[in-house]
Amino acid sequence: MEYISKDIEKKWQNFWSENQSFEPSDDLTKEKKYILSMFPYPSGRIHMGHVRNYCLGDAFARHFRKSNFNVLHPIGWDSFGMPAENAAIKHKLHPKKWTYENIDYMRDELKALGLSFSETREFATSDELYTKWEQEFIIKMYEAGIIYRKSATVNWCPHDLTVLANEQLEDGCCWRCGTQVVQKEMPGYYVGITKYAQELLDDLELLKNDWPSQVLTMQENWIGRSEGLEFKFELSIESKAKLERTFSKYFVFTTRPDTIYGVSYSALAPEHPIVKYIVENNLLPEKKIKAIKDMQKVPERDRAIQEKEGVCLEIEVMHPLTGEKIPVWVANFVLASYGGGAVMAVPAHDQRDFEFAKKYDLPIKQVIVGTEGVIANPTEAFTGEGTLINSESFTGLPNIKAKKAIIYHFEQNSLGIKQVNFKLRDWGVSRQRYWGAPVPFIHCDDCGLVPEKIENLPVALPDDVEITGEGNPLDSHPTWKHCSCPKCGKPAIRETDTLDTFVQSSWYFLRYATNPKVWNEAGISKSDSDYWMDVDQYIGGIEHAILHLLYARFFTKVLRDLGYTNSTEPFKRLLTQGMVLKDGAKMSKSKGNVVDPDLIVEKYGADTARLFMMFAAPPTKELEWNDSAVDGAYRFIKKFFERAENVTTSSVKELENINHSSLNKEEKEARKKVYEALLKSNEVFTKTYTFNTLIASSMEALNALQAQKNELVWAEGYYILTNILEPIIPHACWELSKKLFELKNFDGKIEIKEEVFALESIVLAVTINGKKRCEIEVAPDASKEEILATAKTASAKWLGNSELVKEIVVPNKLVNFVIKG
């Protein structure tokens, strides 16, 4: 048979579309599989990373579909975001037009790869219907106290003119445009993800065996649970007076209460209310005020890698146990977002505090000694375990026991409490841009902040805007923001912030799981969710380990608590695919090493692109582009197609009549290799993900088939191999299966025939005094006496006339003779 990829691929893509071959069944009694790859941003063209991601997902979907599962394998578009606005400015196009034209183009590109997506469940997150239900969830979350509005210091991108979450910074720069981020005080909406911090942490245990350990560790570290002591530092009488009695105390959190007697100074974050008050009221010399203001401009993440810097605030607090006066500083290493933005500093036992104390000549008080005794190291802090010294009644206690004892003392004397803290911060979702989902709230002078009425949703974007790149187009629109208060009916102002696009990708999988027949009536169908959720296999890049994956887990739990789903964790199994490289670097236009998927499909066909992507490397590893390997993939498909001429009509009819015992050695070996590939297929799709080994096994099977001439063995081999390879090279396999088997081999699981693995003989090594001399071939059921006799004959020239001291037979492995002389 001649392999002409263009004709075959177009033919089957049209067939699948016309016959709705990949739509999930409405029969919810069938066993299901929900296979999902992270949906793309419609940038205009797909890249090789897309090809790898979606070919992996498609292989899973096709495998389980052929195994009689009801498969949901959807696709959509993560279509809101800044790039559309940037393109609108550059090309003088409306963001909506640019976005939906890109979607149309990319949809055709994905279709050309033969991906088995459901066509009826496709949507874009910028569709007004999607926005409608998202806005309903946002209102319900607000009513439940999970969303709130506050004024805070935020990460501001001066290029994109929008707020960014901490997770969206890369080395202090905007993750989208790379501009250096600045700090800015402004009001915004926050999602209370910290309310779920403990559950998010605990439920990582549920994912332990099915998610990459690296992702679990990254999330655990990002959530950052720590236990310790929270207590107050009371300001001295003089300091209270200096601050005009606006403040009397502040709270600190420490994970090292055992070092409480070693406190020699306290430090506040540059954004701490006391620091702000001092700056605003000029309560320090001008030079110090300027230094603090400069500190406040630097994002928290950048401060973490800067040299330790501080300014003495010329105020003091009282040590809670000794009553000693302690100086208060502002320090760039203290985070406003953790522990209240204030710390107790113990230079002798914390390296960061030590470096700061050395720089500013502050006292260093050692209160723990290790096994070597009281030996202070002048160059670093002692952070190991040991025994308390200089700690009043706690002196002599091991520091681990002292932690509990000191916390107990604080609680008994109402000085402080045991506290659990998290590094995780609430998620700021306000964005000052046009192309996003409008936040569905209204500002009323009389009623305050009021949610829009549910029946008025969606709050849709106006089409008549001009995107200039300066300011928020919704805020400057002449009419859009002017409305009536839903509560009192008086003139009011609509919120002009839009939602962070990560909100849209935090629930899209639940929307897919909802039958399109009810999309107008419900955002999420709970009964559909009960059937389809959780996603059985999720595929995407590890770069989403913290942002998207954490937010999606959080949203699922919130929507569960609001009654929309019973799902607790969205994704059962996670596969994080490696990047596609060329010349050792990630493909990018700037490096000039981009390979256009469209050109590969045009030259070789989609099946070649798919086969190369699955064969060149295990899916979790980086894949290096190799032109000759692509050519090799094409040659294999061509050979696979051409060798199908060995399958005759008569042999197909006699498929079930293979008498294995009557076959010769080559014929038996060919059957064995084919069934080994079938075993490998079942293992790869459920356990190992190593598609490269499956393809290698299939290639070995084809070679073994070529080494024999039995037509029945050829027919059986192709019956199985076209089934195995269909998830990887679907067009070629559907064409062959249709011509040879009327697609019957795609109707369910193919049973393993154990007879093919029965061994005709086994090979044993023969060793003399532990040194291998030869090998023997014996029947699997040969007796010990038969094995020894055969071994002695085979090794006679090494045994000679030596005295035989011992004869050892290790079953299925070796025979060892111990001799003398």
Side-chain angles (χ1 to χ4, degrees):
M1 293 183 196
E2 188 180 2
Y3 177 57
I4 304 173
S5 61
K6 285 182 184 177
D7 295 348
I8 294 168
E9 290 177 359
K10 197 68 179 169
K11 166 187 168 181
W12 286 108
Q13 287 162 17
N14 290 338
F15 174 88
W16 296 328
S17 185
E18 289 163 9
N19 289 274
Q20 294 193 309
S21 301
F22 307 127
E23 296 306 322
S25 169
D26 288 344
D27 180 3
L28 305 189
T29 61
K30 289 182 69 176
E31 193 173 359
K32 67 89 184 181
K33 286 289 181 183
Y34 185 176
I35 310 299
L36 183 62
S37 293
M38 295 179 186
F39 62 173
Y41 178 78
S43 57
R45 297 179 78 87
I46 64 169
H47 52 68
M48 281 299 173
H50 289 132
V51 175
R52 193 177 197 198
N53 187 9
Y54 298 124
C55 286
L56 285 168
D58 195 55
F60 282 108
R62 287 177 177 274
H63 170 80
F64 288 115
R65 202 178 280 117
K66 288 189 297 82
S67 303
N68 278 336
F69 285 91
N70 188 12
V71 174
L72 173 59
H73 183 222
I75 188 67
W77 309 94
D78 192 11
S79 50
F80 272 139
M82 278 302 303
E85 292 195 28
N86 294 340
I89 298 165
K90 183 178 179 180
H91 303 295
K92 301 200 181 305
L93 276 175
H94 194 284
K96 187 174 185 178
K97 179 178 172 62
W98 183 84
T99 297
Y100 283 91
E101 284 180 354
N102 285 351
I103 287 173
D104 290 341
Y105 188 87
M106 291 175 69
R107 184 191 296 113
D108 288 342
E109 288 186 299
L110 294 178
K111 186 176 180 180
L113 286 167
L115 302 169
S116 63
F117 292 128
S118 162
E119 294 180 3
T120 63
R121 301 201 181 211
E122 181 189 332
F123 59 78
T125 57
S126 52
D127 294 346
E128 287 187 10
L129 186 58
Y130 191 82
T131 295
K132 171 185 176 178
W133 298 115
E134 183 167 286
Q135 288 172 339
E136 177 183 302
F137 304 149
I138 294 298
I139 290 169
K140 297 295 184 187
M141 289 167 74
Y142 175 75
E143 291 170 347
I146 298 168
I147 285 183
Y148 60 94
R149 193 168 191 263
K150 71 171 184 178
S151 186
T153 301
V154 295
N155 304 307
W156 177 259
C157 175
H159 178 271
D160 290 340
L161 299 177
T162 190
V163 171
L164 299 169
N166 284 339
E167 296 91 331
Q168 292 168 315
L169 303 187
E170 294 179 356
D171 297 324
C173 297
C174 173
W175 74 301
R176 281 289 195 195
C177 68
T179 302
Q180 186 75 33
V181 167
V182 298
Q183 302 299 288
K184 187 175 181 179
E185 176 93 17
M186 61 190 300
Y189 295 90
Y190 289 80
V191 177
I193 191 171
T194 52
K195 293 176 184 285
Y196 287 78
Q198 189 62 54
E199 188 181 356
L200 287 165
L201 187 63
D202 291 343
D203 286 355
L204 290 175
E205 192 67 26
L206 303 174
L207 309 172
K208 201 170 183 180
N209 298 318
D210 297 314
W211 279 38
S213 58
Q214 183 183 359
V215 175
L216 298 177
T217 300
M218 290 167 76
Q219 290 213 2
E220 184 178 344
N221 292 341
W222 190 260
I223 295 166
R225 186 184 192 275
S226 56
E227 291 185 9
L229 171 68
E230 183 181 83
F231 66 93
K232 67 180 178 183
F233 268 136
E234 190 82 25
L235 287 158
S236 67
I237 294 172
E238 299 83 0
S239 298
K240 288 178 185 176
K242 183 170 184 175
L243 297 175
E244 299 164 329
R245 306 201 177 277
T246 305
F247 302 92
S248 62
K249 62 183 181 297
Y250 60 83
F251 290 88
V252 298
F253 171 80
T254 179
T255 59
R256 295 294 308 274
D258 51 322
T259 64
I260 188 75
Y261 287 94
V263 175
S264 64
Y265 67 95
S266 177
L268 305 179
E271 297 81 13
H272 193 280
I274 289 178
V275 178
K276 286 184 178 180
Y277 184 84
I278 289 172
V279 170
E280 288 165 4
N281 292 277
N282 292 307
L283 300 179
L284 286 172
E286 187 178 331
K287 189 176 179 181
K288 285 190 173 185
I289 295 288
K290 184 182 182 303
I292 294 171
K293 284 182 176 179
D294 289 342
M295 224 180 277
Q296 290 171 338
K297 292 175 185 176
V298 181
E300 282 188 352
R301 283 195 178 184
D302 287 357
R303 289 183 209 155
I305 58 174
Q306 284 183 337
E307 184 183 341
K308 309 294 177 287
E309 289 184 357
V311 174
C312 181
L313 294 174
E314 300 177 13
I315 57 174
E316 295 171 318
V317 289
M318 313 302 294
H319 191 288
L321 298 182
T322 67
E324 179 187 2
K325 287 184 179 180
I326 296 167
V328 181
W329 287 64
V330 59
N332 64 349
F333 62 78
V334 184
L335 305 181
S337 59
Y338 182 75
V343 300
M344 66 175 214
V346 186
H349 305 292
D350 182 283
Q351 188 61 27
R352 178 198 61 189
D353 298 348
F354 178 88
E355 291 170 8
F356 191 88
K358 278 288 187 183
K359 181 172 182 175
Y360 294 105
D361 198 25
L362 294 165
I364 298 174
K365 302 178 181 179
Q366 187 169 1
V367 293
I368 298 175
V369 291
T371 53
E372 297 175 5
V374 188
I375 303 173
N377 187 330
T379 61
E380 62 181 23
F382 174 71
T383 57
E385 294 181 9
T387 304
L388 264 63
I389 60 170
N390 304 324
S391 299
E392 297 186 341
S393 62
F394 300 101
T395 295
L397 279 179
N399 74 297
I400 300 299
K401 284 187 178 179
K403 285 183 181 182
K404 293 180 180 177
I406 290 171
I407 289 175
Y408 180 78
H409 179 79
F410 268 80
E411 290 187 321
Q412 289 298 106
N413 292 279
S414 301
L415 296 172
I417 57 170
K418 185 178 181 180
Q419 185 76 34
V420 173
N421 261 5
F422 297 91
K423 288 181 182 176
L424 183 67
R425 300 294 89 199
D426 280 349
W427 172 18
V429 295
S430 294
R431 300 294 179 266
Q432 294 66 44
R433 59 174 175 242
Y434 165 75
W435 193 236
V439 178
F441 297 117
I442 289 162
H443 301 274
C444 175
D445 288 341
D446 291 345
C447 306
L449 188 66
V450 183
E452 181 58 271
K453 289 180 179 178
I454 298 294
E455 58 266 30
N456 291 342
L457 300 179
V459 177
L461 293 168
D463 287 333
D464 57 334
V465 292
E466 185 182 355
I467 313 292
T468 63
E470 295 181 8
N472 182 353
L474 294 178
D475 202 39
S476 57
H477 191 280
T479 59
W480 184 82
K481 68 180 180 182
H482 299 288
C483 62
S484 298
C485 173
K487 203 169 182 180
C488 69
K490 291 181 180 177
I493 299 295
R494 192 176 296 286
E495 177 58 66
T496 58
D497 280 359
T498 53
L499 291 166
D500 180 7
T501 55
F502 280 97
V503 173
Q504 283 91 67
S505 57
S506 294
W507 70 281
Y508 78 111
F509 41 88
L510 285 159
R511 182 61 168 172
Y512 284 145
T514 298
N515 194 312
K517 293 173 183 174
V518 299
W519 275 7
N520 287 316
E521 288 74 50
I524 298 169
S525 163
K526 197 169 186 179
S527 59
D528 287 343
S529 172
D530 284 345
Y531 175 71
W532 286 114
M533 291 295 291
D534 305 334
V535 174
D536 294 282
Q537 184 67 63
Y538 199 40
I539 304 109
I542 200 166
E543 67 270 19
H544 299 290
I546 293 172
L547 283 168
H548 163 59
L549 289 170
L550 186 63
Y551 291 158
R553 294 181 61 225
F554 162 66
F555 246 77
T556 301
K557 295 175 190 303
V558 171
L559 291 169
R560 173 204 63 197
D561 291 347
L562 293 175
Y564 289 98
T565 180
N566 287 316
S567 184
T568 287
E569 282 292 332
F571 314 120
K572 277 184 190 171
R573 305 186 77 186
L574 174 67
L575 170 60
T576 52
Q577 90 277 7
M579 289 190 299
V580 181
L581 310 178
K582 190 166 189 288
D583 305 324
K586 182 181 177 181
M587 288 187 184
S588 71
K589 289 179 182 177
S590 61
K591 291 190 179 79
N593 64 347
V594 172
V595 176
D596 187 345
D598 292 354
L599 296 179
I600 298 300
V601 172
E602 177 68 24
K603 182 177 179 181
Y604 294 103
D607 282 347
T608 295
R610 294 173 64 121
L611 182 65
F612 169 77
M613 282 292 177
M614 306 289 273
F615 186 49
T620 57
K621 303 296 184 185
E622 292 177 335
L623 183 155
E624 178 71 34
W625 185 264
N626 184 316
D627 290 331
S628 62
V630 175
D631 197 56
Y634 173 76
R635 288 198 306 274
F636 170 75
I637 299 172
K638 192 169 182 288
K639 182 170 80 169
F640 184 57
F641 219 81
E642 291 167 350
R643 296 295 182 273
E645 64 192 19
N646 292 301
V647 181
T648 62
T649 304
S650 58
S651 64
V652 169
K653 289 178 182 176
E654 296 294 319
L655 256 180
E656 295 300 317
N657 299 325
I658 297 177
N659 183 351
H660 189 73
S661 61
S662 68
L663 301 180
N664 63 33
K665 185 176 180 180
E666 289 77 17
E667 292 164 353
K668 287 179 178 177
E669 178 66 12
R671 288 193 86 201
K672 178 167 159 288
K673 287 293 183 184
V674 167
Y675 277 96
E676 281 177 351
L678 181 58
L679 278 174
K680 177 73 73 175
S681 174
N682 296 332
E683 179 186 276
V684 162
F685 281 102
T686 57
K687 292 179 184 175
T688 65
Y689 305 148
T690 52
F691 296 101
N692 55 318
T693 64
L694 169 59
I695 295 166
S697 292
S698 299
M699 290 174 172
E700 284 181 25
L702 183 59
N703 290 336
L705 284 171
Q706 287 181 248
Q708 58 86 50
K709 294 181 171 57
N710 188 311
E711 288 185 1
L712 287 180
V713 175
W714 269 105
E716 182 189 44
Y718 263 72
Y719 188 85
I720 294 171
L721 286 177
T722 49
N723 181 289
I724 292 171
L725 290 170
E726 189 270 346
I728 299 163
I729 51 172
H731 307 89
C733 288
W734 276 68
E735 181 71 10
L736 290 172
S737 178
K738 175 64 177 172
K739 286 184 175 179
L740 303 177
F741 312 112
E742 285 297 319
L743 301 176
K744 288 177 183 173
N745 58 332
F746 296 163
D747 286 344
K749 275 189 176 180
I750 297 174
E751 295 302 318
I752 302 291
K753 295 188 177 177
E754 296 297 335
E755 65 188 27
V756 305
F757 300 112
L759 297 172
E760 295 289 311
S761 62
I762 56 174
V763 176
L764 304 177
V766 179
T767 62
I768 299 175
N769 289 347
K771 187 172 183 179
K772 184 178 176 181
R773 292 300 186 184
C774 60
E775 289 180 341
I776 59 172
E777 193 171 345
V778 297
D781 58 353
S783 67
K784 183 177 180 181
E785 290 71 23
E786 289 172 322
I787 292 171
L788 287 170
T790 305
K792 286 174 183 174
T793 301
S795 60
K797 68 177 181 179
W798 291 284
L799 290 173
N801 297 319
S802 302
E803 180 186 348
L804 196 55
V805 178
K806 208 168 191 181
E807 301 171 344
I808 302 167
V809 176
V810 180
N812 300 314
K813 193 171 182 182
L814 59 82
V815 177
N816 184 40
F817 295 122
V818 179
I819 62 172
K820 259 188 192 177

